[in-house]
Amino acid sequence: MFNTSGIGGKTPEQALATLSDMTTDLQPIGIQEFHARIAKAQAYMQANGIDAIYLNAGTNLMYFTGLRWYASERMVGAILPAKGELEFIAPHFEIGSLNDFMQIPGKINPWHEHESPYALFLQVLEKMGIQAPATIGIDESAQFFIFDGINQLQQGLSLINAKAVTAHCRMHKSPAEIALMQRAMDMTLEVHKAAASILREGISTTEVEQFIHQAHKQVGAPGSYFCIVLFGVATSFPHGVKHAQHLKQGDMVLIDTGCKVHDYLSDITRTYVFGEASARQRELWNAEQQAQTAAFNAAKLGVACEEVDKAARQALAQSGLGPDYQLPGLPHRTGHGIGMDIHEWPYLVGGNTLPLAPGMCFSNEPMIVAPNEFGVRLEDHFYMTEQGPRWFTKPSHSIDDPFGLNA
């Protein structure tokens, strides 16, 4: 059964030989799209009375400007006004590097190590003609010390969470973004198939993780962006345990992994049995498949995000699981948004009344946890089109043939 279902039978070398670079025809996000993102943000800011936002080093800065810089104890970022050109703030000694990484040009306002970047921030706002009373959004991912430093010095400004702007832009993916995510998902699905093919009795989770990292490189990624490999009872812990496990006949296998392609991510989970599935394993696996299908079918344009989560829970309840967050059942939300961050807006969770709209991308993973037994997570992603939801990857076929090789 192993060979026909794609589980076991190959050496790591044989499995790697089946993979090749899948990225050679891809292009990163272009300058034109960065300008369009800035224009969209500024239109929203003008319509909602937000005078400027601060974009901190990290994903938001990269999303709007293409500048790849990572957050540290030094303030590095950009001020995007509702009208006019954006300007950067950075340590003086980093100007050369910033100019090298910069894609959207802008004036750099430098500060020396003994100077306050927060005072400089307020001075730049004033030079931009932004004065109290004004509303300034601070990047939701900025460290607290940045907000605190600005807040202690400002007078008469209203500091708000810039999430209103950043999430408004980032949660609706463009065709170029979806194309990059599609390729990343395709790559990770091939890696999943290859990983299943090397399983053998006694193999450790650590060995499988190392293989998956190499396999992601083989298909053109820098490696795995993350990787969770669990066997047996450990599969009942959604994000794993600290110790490695060794595979035994009859173990449930859960592998959750993804990669990054031109800043966009994949994230796929497959769960199956090494050997013959027991009646209990088969029962819960089928219930998980039904819940994932129910969530997808509930994802209609205009429907609230929470309704997708509700549909998955109702399906599980019909299988005698839950209800709500009770175990055995689903202990967390049904899904998260994905893009440049592995978890981003919007979320498929109770209480989220945001309506589904074109360009939104979600995981669909209503995991079943049976404490002290095993867990089952089938995770694929879908995106909303004008016609409704569309899968990035085809969901698992069955517990005996997870990759549909015999379909």
Side-chain angles (χ1 to χ4, degrees):
M1 184 186 74
F2 293 159
N3 288 332
T4 57
S5 65
I7 301 174
K10 291 183 179 178
T11 67
E13 293 74 21
Q14 288 171 332
L16 286 175
T18 67
L19 303 173
S20 58
D21 192 342
M22 299 171 64
T23 66
T24 54
D25 62 330
L26 293 180
Q27 294 295 324
I29 298 298
I31 298 297
Q32 215 170 1
E33 186 150 336
F34 291 126
H35 284 297
R37 293 171 178 180
I38 289 172
K40 182 177 181 179
Q42 289 182 317
Y44 183 89
M45 292 157 66
Q46 292 170 30
N48 290 274
I50 302 171
D51 297 284
I53 59 172
Y54 168 69
L55 302 169
N56 195 48
T59 308
N60 282 327
L61 183 66
M62 196 186 315
Y63 176 84
F64 287 103
T65 73
L67 177 59
R68 190 182 308 276
W69 206 271
Y70 295 94
S72 71
E73 78 282 7
R74 295 184 174 98
M75 184 177 180
V76 177
I79 299 174
L80 177 61
K83 296 180 180 179
E85 302 299 316
L86 65 80
E87 296 190 16
F88 296 91
I89 289 180
H92 199 283
F93 71 90
E94 299 282 27
I95 290 177
S97 296
L98 247 72
N99 279 322
D100 188 42
F101 282 99
M102 193 178 291
Q103 295 197 51
I104 298 295
K107 178 182 178 183
I108 299 176
N109 297 276
W111 53 278
H112 286 293
E113 293 279 61
H114 68 285
E115 296 174 326
S116 168
Y118 320 118
L120 176 61
F121 174 84
L122 296 171
Q123 291 165 14
V124 174
L125 286 179
E126 192 170 345
K127 289 178 183 177
M128 289 177 164
I130 301 172
Q131 299 176 332
T135 300
I136 309 299
I138 303 296
D139 191 330
E140 71 278 8
S141 65
Q143 303 97 315
F144 176 76
F145 69 78
I146 292 177
F147 169 85
D148 188 52
I150 294 168
N151 195 40
Q152 287 191 38
L153 296 178
Q154 66 90 11
Q155 294 182 347
L157 297 177
S158 175
L159 301 184
I160 66 168
N161 192 335
K163 174 186 169 184
V165 181
T166 56
H168 169 74
C169 294
R170 287 177 55 190
M171 74 170 64
H172 301 280
K173 270 60 179 185
S174 70
E177 291 178 287
I178 288 174
L180 289 173
M181 292 170 64
Q182 180 66 68
R183 186 61 59 84
M185 299 287 184
D186 292 342
M187 291 161 61
T188 291
L189 187 57
E190 292 305 310
V191 168
H192 264 289
K193 294 175 184 177
S197 77
I198 70 162
L199 295 182
R200 54 175 170 76
E201 194 162 2
I203 197 171
S204 71
T205 51
T206 302
E207 290 176 80
V208 179
E209 289 168 4
Q210 292 170 344
F211 172 84
I212 289 172
H213 184 67
Q214 288 303 315
H216 269 128
K217 287 185 175 181
Q218 191 81 354
V219 294
S224 297
Y225 183 76
F226 73 97
C227 186
I228 300 170
V229 179
L230 303 169
F231 300 152
V233 175
T235 61
S236 66
F237 294 81
H239 288 151
V241 294
K242 65 181 180 181
H243 58 275
Q245 308 102 54
H246 291 81
L247 190 60
K248 305 184 300 296
Q249 286 289 330
D251 271 351
M252 193 68 88
V253 176
L254 187 156
I255 299 177
D256 183 356
T257 189
C259 68
K260 181 175 280 193
V261 176
H262 291 309
D263 302 317
Y264 286 84
L265 290 158
S266 61
D267 178 11
I268 300 174
T269 307
R270 289 291 178 263
T271 307
Y272 40 84
V273 176
F274 182 72
E276 292 291 336
S278 69
R280 174 69 165 168
Q281 289 170 329
R282 195 175 298 278
E283 174 192 8
L284 294 193
W285 196 99
N286 289 337
E288 168 73 358
Q289 184 185 52
Q290 290 163 12
Q292 189 191 44
T293 301
F296 181 81
N297 290 339
K300 310 291 187 185
L301 289 174
V303 167
C305 287
E306 66 178 357
E307 294 300 321
V308 181
D309 180 77
K310 187 183 298 183
R313 293 184 193 281
Q314 287 175 343
L316 292 173
Q318 290 170 4
S319 298
L321 300 166
D324 300 322
Y325 295 95
Q326 295 179 45
L327 302 180
L330 171 55
H332 53 66
R333 66 196 173 210
T334 292
H336 57 80
I338 189 171
M340 294 177 73
D341 287 323
I342 198 72
H343 291 179
E344 60 181 54
W345 329 272
Y347 295 95
L348 301 177
V349 64
N352 187 358
T353 59
L354 183 72
L356 299 180
M360 291 181 175
C361 301
F362 301 96
S363 74
N364 184 348
E365 48 177 321
M367 180 180 187
I368 296 174
V369 170
N372 302 314
E373 294 183 77
F374 56 84
V376 184
R377 180 162 71 244
L378 303 178
E379 179 186 11
D380 295 275
H381 288 66
F382 65 90
Y383 60 97
M384 299 303 296
T385 73
E386 296 288 354
Q387 291 74 44
R390 181 174 298 172
W391 289 113
F392 278 106
T393 49
K394 188 176 181 179
S396 285
H397 185 260
S398 69
I399 192 170
D400 299 313
D401 184 19
F403 301 104
L405 299 182
N406 299 323

